Amino acid sequence: MGHHGYGENEATLGDRLTAAREGAGLSVAELADRLGVRAETMQGWEADQAEPRAVFLGRLSGMLGVPLTWLLTGKGQGPQTGGDGAASLPRTELRELRRLLHEATQRIDRLEELLAND
Protein backbone atom coordinates (compact mmCIF):
# COMPACT_ATOMS: atom_id res chain seq x y z
CA MET A 1 0.00 0.00 0.00
CA GLY A 2 3.01 2.32 0.12
CA HIS A 3 3.18 5.07 -2.47
CA HIS A 4 6.88 5.79 -2.27
CA GLY A 5 7.86 5.46 -5.93
CA TYR A 6 6.26 8.64 -7.24
CA GLY A 7 7.79 11.94 -8.16
CA GLU A 8 6.60 15.20 -6.66
CA ASN A 9 4.60 16.12 -9.77
CA GLU A 10 2.95 12.70 -10.01
CA ALA A 11 1.72 12.44 -6.42
CA THR A 12 -1.94 13.14 -5.72
CA LEU A 13 -3.52 14.44 -2.55
CA GLY A 14 -4.42 10.83 -1.74
CA ASP A 15 -0.81 9.73 -2.24
CA ARG A 16 0.46 12.47 0.08
CA LEU A 17 -2.21 11.72 2.65
CA THR A 18 -1.24 8.03 2.63
CA ALA A 19 2.48 8.85 2.91
CA ALA A 20 1.85 11.23 5.83
CA ARG A 21 -0.38 8.72 7.63
CA GLU A 22 2.17 5.93 7.18
CA GLY A 23 4.95 8.29 8.26
CA ALA A 24 3.00 8.97 11.44
CA GLY A 25 2.69 5.22 12.03
CA LEU A 26 -1.11 5.22 11.92
CA SER A 27 -3.50 2.81 10.29
CA VAL A 28 -6.43 4.07 8.23
CA ALA A 29 -8.79 3.07 11.05
CA GLU A 30 -6.72 4.85 13.72
CA LEU A 31 -6.54 8.11 11.81
CA ALA A 32 -10.21 7.95 10.85
CA ASP A 33 -11.16 7.39 14.49
CA ARG A 34 -9.05 10.33 15.68
CA LEU A 35 -10.52 12.53 12.97
CA GLY A 36 -14.08 11.43 13.68
CA VAL A 37 -14.82 9.98 10.23
CA ARG A 38 -15.46 6.45 9.00
CA ALA A 39 -12.50 4.37 7.81
CA GLU A 40 -14.24 4.08 4.44
CA THR A 41 -14.20 7.88 4.15
CA MET A 42 -10.46 7.96 4.86
CA GLN A 43 -9.87 5.19 2.32
CA GLY A 44 -11.80 7.18 -0.28
CA TRP A 45 -9.62 10.22 0.34
CA GLU A 46 -6.45 8.16 0.02
CA ALA A 47 -7.72 6.55 -3.19
CA ASP A 48 -8.60 10.00 -4.62
CA GLN A 49 -12.25 9.00 -4.89
CA ALA A 50 -13.25 12.02 -2.78
CA GLU A 51 -11.54 15.01 -1.19
CA PRO A 52 -11.73 16.05 2.45
CA ARG A 53 -13.39 19.35 3.30
CA ALA A 54 -11.11 22.22 4.29
CA VAL A 55 -11.74 21.74 8.01
CA PHE A 56 -10.50 18.16 7.76
CA LEU A 57 -7.46 19.14 5.71
CA GLY A 58 -6.32 21.48 8.47
CA ARG A 59 -6.86 18.84 11.14
CA LEU A 60 -5.07 16.19 9.06
CA SER A 61 -2.11 18.50 8.62
CA GLY A 62 -1.83 18.97 12.38
CA MET A 63 -2.44 15.35 13.32
CA LEU A 64 0.07 14.05 10.78
CA GLY A 65 2.70 16.72 11.43
CA VAL A 66 2.96 17.90 7.83
CA PRO A 67 2.46 21.41 6.48
CA LEU A 68 -0.93 22.03 4.86
CA THR A 69 0.87 23.39 1.78
CA TRP A 70 2.72 20.09 1.35
CA LEU A 71 -0.45 18.09 1.82
CA LEU A 72 -2.24 20.12 -0.87
CA THR A 73 0.58 20.69 -3.36
CA GLY A 74 3.51 18.44 -2.51
CA LYS A 75 5.76 21.48 -2.21
CA GLY A 76 7.90 21.87 0.89
CA GLN A 77 8.85 19.42 3.63
CA GLY A 78 6.76 16.24 3.68
CA PRO A 79 6.56 13.55 6.35
CA GLN A 80 9.71 12.72 8.24
CA THR A 81 10.82 9.18 7.55
CA GLY A 82 12.81 7.20 10.08
CA GLY A 83 16.45 7.83 9.41
CA ASP A 84 19.23 5.63 10.66
CA GLY A 85 18.28 3.65 13.76
CA ALA A 86 18.49 6.03 16.72
CA ALA A 87 16.01 8.57 15.38
CA SER A 88 13.54 5.87 14.35
CA LEU A 89 13.54 4.02 17.71
CA PRO A 90 11.18 6.46 19.48
CA ARG A 91 8.94 6.46 16.41
CA THR A 92 8.81 2.65 16.41
CA GLU A 93 8.02 2.59 20.12
CA LEU A 94 5.32 5.23 19.69
CA ARG A 95 3.76 3.26 16.83
CA GLU A 96 3.71 0.12 18.99
CA LEU A 97 2.18 1.98 21.94
CA ARG A 98 -0.52 3.43 19.67
CA ARG A 99 -1.31 -0.08 18.41
CA LEU A 100 -1.53 -1.42 21.96
CA LEU A 101 -3.70 1.51 23.06
CA HIS A 102 -6.04 0.92 20.14
CA GLU A 103 -6.33 -2.78 21.01
CA ALA A 104 -6.91 -1.99 24.70
CA THR A 105 -9.60 0.54 23.81
CA GLN A 106 -11.40 -2.03 21.67
CA ARG A 107 -11.24 -4.58 24.48
CA ILE A 108 -12.57 -2.06 27.01
CA ASP A 109 -15.43 -1.17 24.67
CA ARG A 110 -16.34 -4.86 24.27
CA LEU A 111 -16.23 -5.45 28.04
CA GLU A 112 -18.34 -2.38 28.77
CA GLU A 113 -20.87 -3.56 26.22
CA LEU A 114 -20.98 -7.02 27.84
CA LEU A 115 -21.42 -5.50 31.31
CA ALA A 116 -24.15 -3.18 30.10
CA ASN A 117 -26.10 -6.17 28.76
CA ASP A 118 -26.01 -8.02 32.11
Side-chain angles (χ1 to χ4, degrees):
M1 178 173 223
H3 295 91
H4 302 292
Y6 53 76
E8 180 179 302
N9 295 331
E10 299 168 20
T12 65
L13 172 62
D15 292 330
R16 289 186 294 275
L17 184 53
T18 301
R21 177 184 55 73
E22 289 174 351
L26 296 171
S27 70
V28 169
E30 289 170 327
L31 182 56
D33 185 55
R34 290 180 187 192
L35 198 58
V37 300
R38 295 184 0 226
E40 294 81 12
T41 300
M42 182 68 56
Q43 289 169 335
W45 294 345
E46 289 189 4
D48 293 306
Q49 295 171 341
E51 290 186 359
R53 288 181 283 162
V55 65
F56 289 120
L57 286 168
R59 291 175 61 198
L60 285 163
S61 169
M63 288 178 176
L64 299 173
V66 295
L68 183 56
T69 303
W70 178 84
L71 199 55
L72 292 171
T73 67
K75 296 185 185 336
Q77 182 68 39
Q80 300 297 312
T81 56
D84 61 288
S88 64
L89 285 177
R91 200 171 305 228
T92 302
E93 184 177 359
L94 181 59
R95 186 177 309 122
E96 176 64 10
L97 286 172
R98 283 182 175 146
R99 185 187 66 75
L100 291 170
L101 178 60
H102 181 71
E103 288 177 9
T105 301
Q106 287 180 324
R107 290 176 64 187
I108 289 169
D109 289 346
R110 282 193 301 267
L111 288 171
E112 286 177 339
E113 189 175 313
L114 286 171
L115 291 172
N117 292 331
D118 279 348

